[in-house]
Amino acid sequence: MPTSAPLRLLFATSEIAPWVKTGGLGDVAAALPEALHRSGMDVRVLVPAYPAMKAAFPLAHTLVGIAAPGGLLPPCRILEASAPSGLTIWLLDCPELFIRPGGPYQTPDGPDWPDNPLRFALLSRVAAILSSDASPLEWRPQIVHGNDWQTGLIPAYLHFMPGRRPRTVMTIHNLAFQGNFPQQWLSDLGLPWDAWHLEGAEFHGYLSFLKAGLYYCDRITTVSPTYAREICSDELGFGMAGLLQHRAPVLSGILNGIDDAVWNPADDSSLAAAYDGEHLEGKAANKAELQRLMGLAVTPEKPLLGVVSRLTHQKGLDWVAAVGEQLVQAGMQLAVLGSGDKGLQGAFSDLAQRYPDSVGVRIGYDEGLSHQIEAGADIFLMPSRFEPCGLNQMYSLRYGTPPLVRPTGGLADTVTDCNDATLANGSATGFVMPGADAEALLSTVYRAVARWRDKDGWRALQRNGMARDFSWTRAAQSYLALYRQLA
Ligand code: ADP
Ligand code: GLC
């Protein structure tokens, strides 16, 4: 029987873990293409050749050069590299735009690079070229899949290009980031005036990368079913609810997975001790190690609350800072790893200074410590105001550290509140706040700690979460089905 040729996919992203990552997008862009590659798809990942990417792939060879593709967009070339799994990675090499200190989007001091429109329009433009008749290569994708605003112009460029075109998918990882820039960029980026339209790339007088993507693409996905509904409401639609309601027939939510090889408490080199659902003893050693690392009193008696997060309004951690003192007075400990908002950094650091035995704070980014917090904490705090998917609550479920969350986005889709009924029927996995304020947070922490004191019930709760399957295999199957439908 003839086997059908593998589906060809170009996956464009502005970050990819472990090399370039500011949040969950980097994790997803690393794990999803790998899972699709394993399932037999013919995948190329297109990502800017930042310094970290060049260092990671010193043997990458030049595949093709691309002449200046219009507007102020400079010429560039594609370097081809191969991940250990055999997955092909295409590095978009343009040193004047991507070889810089700092993060993928920001200068070392924090502000955004002023030429971000140019940088990410080039990423989008090159993805469009490589997947159309304009490509200098023979290989053409049937599907091009963009992620967030940084790749939002792909469907727009393709819309105005002649010849055959692939089908396009845009994934919203976070609608709060839209890539809105002054109108003058339109011609600088080589977009035609026809794109400057309410039904196009114009958004309240700005050129919006994300809106362009959502308007011109064939399919829109977001990273959880609940978030797919929420973004159609004024409250969480960030001004784009109308467009998303209009596009609802092609909008769906696919819950992210987690990399269960990287996040596996039974085999994690960052941990003080290995453990699994059947052998939870190792968790105590991890708690002691975390207390030691954070300079806290080393004791099994105090409930230890963990946080690993970008410190931004989205994450609701201002509520944690607001009740920090009460948590300490009630005999709890707090371990916080994160960076971002200066006010929040200051509030947590101040708490740690006043209560060094009870509050440990690390401002910065630390992969190893993030694993140790997932393993060493008793309860993981993630009271997000909104959360498209969220990965940390899934990591904490897998690490036997029940998460405390708000019922929003992916948190609503992955965490089941613990009460007598859900504990009895085996569905309880964490704690869900009844409201969106510091008081709701505090009462839910008290409720969680009361459960923690019942050791048998707690073990059952831990095991429920640890038994959940959040592997990428499931999510990759959903994407594959969507690609097949489209192609
Ligand atoms: P978001 O993408 O909104 O930041 P997610 O929960 O989807 O939220 O993903 C966050 C990812 O970034 C997780 O892998 C988390 O462990 C990681 N992370 C966030 N802050 C830090 C930090 N300070 N140090 C290490 N890892 C972090
Ligand atoms: C965004 C969201 C987060 C999601 C991640 C990966 O950063 O804030 O909820 O998990 O993207 O999709």
Side-chain angles (χ1 to χ4, degrees):
M1 223 171 58
T3 51
S4 54
L7 209 56
R8 298 180 305 279
L9 169 73
L10 181 66
F11 188 93
T13 176
S14 56
E15 34 187 293
I16 180 166
W19 308 290
V20 180
K21 164 175 161 183
T22 67
L25 169 61
D27 290 319
V28 173
L32 174 58
E34 283 285 355
L36 294 167
H37 168 71
R38 275 199 304 276
S39 77
M41 269 187 94
D42 179 3
V43 186
R44 319 284 149 113
V45 179
L46 179 70
V47 59
Y50 306 109
M53 296 306 293
K54 284 200 153 174
F57 297 99
L59 300 180
H61 65 273
T62 303
L63 183 68
V64 72
I66 295 177
L72 300 181
L73 298 171
C76 56
R77 51 181 193 151
I78 301 295
L79 309 178
E80 184 168 82
S82 193
S85 64
L87 172 71
T88 301
I89 300 186
W90 282 351
L91 304 176
L92 168 57
D93 190 31
C94 181
E96 62 179 286
L97 295 187
F98 297 117
I99 298 296
R100 301 177 178 182
Y105 318 122
Q106 290 159 331
T107 71
D109 309 326
D112 288 348
W113 293 108
D115 59 352
N116 273 348
L118 201 60
R119 300 170 77 225
F120 296 105
L122 186 70
L123 177 61
S124 302
R125 182 78 175 132
V126 167
I129 290 173
L130 294 178
S131 48
S132 67
D133 281 350
S135 177
L137 300 173
E138 228 172 82
W139 187 91
R140 304 284 160 76
Q142 291 151 286
I143 309 279
V144 55
H145 185 162
N147 296 275
D148 275 352
W149 73 265
Q150 294 88 342
T151 54
L153 292 186
I154 299 174
Y157 282 127
L158 280 168
H159 179 82
F160 294 103
M161 283 164 87
R164 281 169 305 164
R165 287 187 288 250
R167 308 308 299 275
T168 52
V169 180
M170 279 303 303
T171 294
I172 304 170
H173 294 265
N174 195 333
L175 194 60
F177 302 115
Q178 304 184 334
N180 300 333
F181 303 102
Q183 185 207 41
Q184 106 237 356
W185 282 102
L186 192 76
S187 52
D188 291 352
L189 303 182
L191 280 166
W193 271 102
D194 284 351
W196 186 255
H197 203 276
L198 180 67
E199 296 187 345
E202 190 261 342
F203 183 62
H204 300 294
Y206 286 84
L207 164 63
S208 174
F209 277 45
L210 184 64
K211 185 187 166 195
L214 300 182
Y215 182 79
Y216 290 111
C217 73
D218 295 309
R219 286 294 296 259
I220 303 172
T221 70
T222 186
V223 288
S224 69
T226 295
Y227 194 60
R229 289 190 297 275
E230 288 172 337
I231 53 179
C232 293
S233 72
D234 287 340
E235 194 196 341
L236 288 179
F238 288 93
M240 296 197 186
L243 169 62
L244 290 164
Q245 283 161 19
H246 176 69
R247 301 229 64 195
V250 297
L251 164 67
S252 59
I254 300 177
L255 191 72
N256 285 334
I258 60 172
D259 188 326
D260 50 11
V262 173
W263 292 94
N264 176 9
D267 179 22
D268 183 336
S269 58
S270 300
L271 303 193
Y275 62 97
D276 61 27
E278 300 311 310
H279 312 89
L280 276 161
E281 311 77 48
K283 213 165 180 309
N286 282 304
K287 178 170 178 178
E289 174 65 6
L290 178 57
Q291 288 168 323
R292 201 187 56 72
L293 281 172
M294 291 299 223
L296 306 175
V298 179
T299 163
E301 303 300 327
K302 292 189 167 222
L304 173 50
L305 315 177
V307 171
V308 178
S309 187
R310 293 186 291 118
L311 302 180
T312 65
H313 185 73
Q314 174 190 344
K315 302 291 179 179
L317 295 167
D318 45 317
W319 298 325
V320 178
V323 300
E325 185 143 4
Q326 282 152 282
L327 299 176
V328 171
Q329 306 299 356
M332 298 176 211
Q333 293 181 325
L334 182 61
V336 179
L337 166 64
S339 66
D341 184 278
K342 298 278 179 286
L344 262 179
Q345 292 186 177
F348 282 119
S349 302
D350 183 51
L351 267 176
Q353 241 167 22
R354 281 161 53 218
Y355 304 104
D357 285 352
S358 302
V359 180
V361 173
R362 207 55 79 67
I363 301 299
Y365 193 91
D366 187 332
E367 199 75 36
L369 183 59
S370 74
H371 286 239
Q372 189 62 51
I373 292 179
E374 290 289 4
D378 293 306
I379 297 163
F380 192 85
L381 302 183
M382 202 160 166
S384 307
R385 288 186 166 82
F386 68 94
E387 195 62 75
C389 179
L391 300 173
N392 277 108
Q393 84 280 10
M394 294 192 266
Y395 300 153
S396 59
L397 288 169
R398 187 152 162 78
Y399 277 60
T401 307
L404 184 157
V405 304
R406 275 201 62 245
T408 180
L411 300 176
D413 293 336
T414 53
V415 180
T416 304
D417 188 51
C418 176
N419 54 47
D420 290 342
T422 56
L423 201 54
N425 70 21
S427 63
T429 55
F431 299 91
V432 178
M433 287 164 57
D437 53 31
E439 213 171 287
L441 175 86
L442 193 62
S443 65
T444 311
V445 172
Y446 287 152
R447 186 159 67 83
V449 166
R451 291 278 174 187
W452 176 77
R453 297 198 189 285
D454 161 23
K455 295 301 169 201
D456 289 342
W458 193 257
R459 262 193 298 278
L461 178 66
Q462 288 176 301
R463 289 196 176 119
N464 290 347
M466 296 178 91
R468 288 289 166 94
D469 175 14
F470 293 118
S471 71
W472 266 107
T473 316
R474 170 199 47 80
Q477 288 311 316
S478 304
Y479 281 102
L480 198 56
L482 182 142
Y483 297 149
R484 284 214 178 100
Q485 241 179 31
L486 262 181

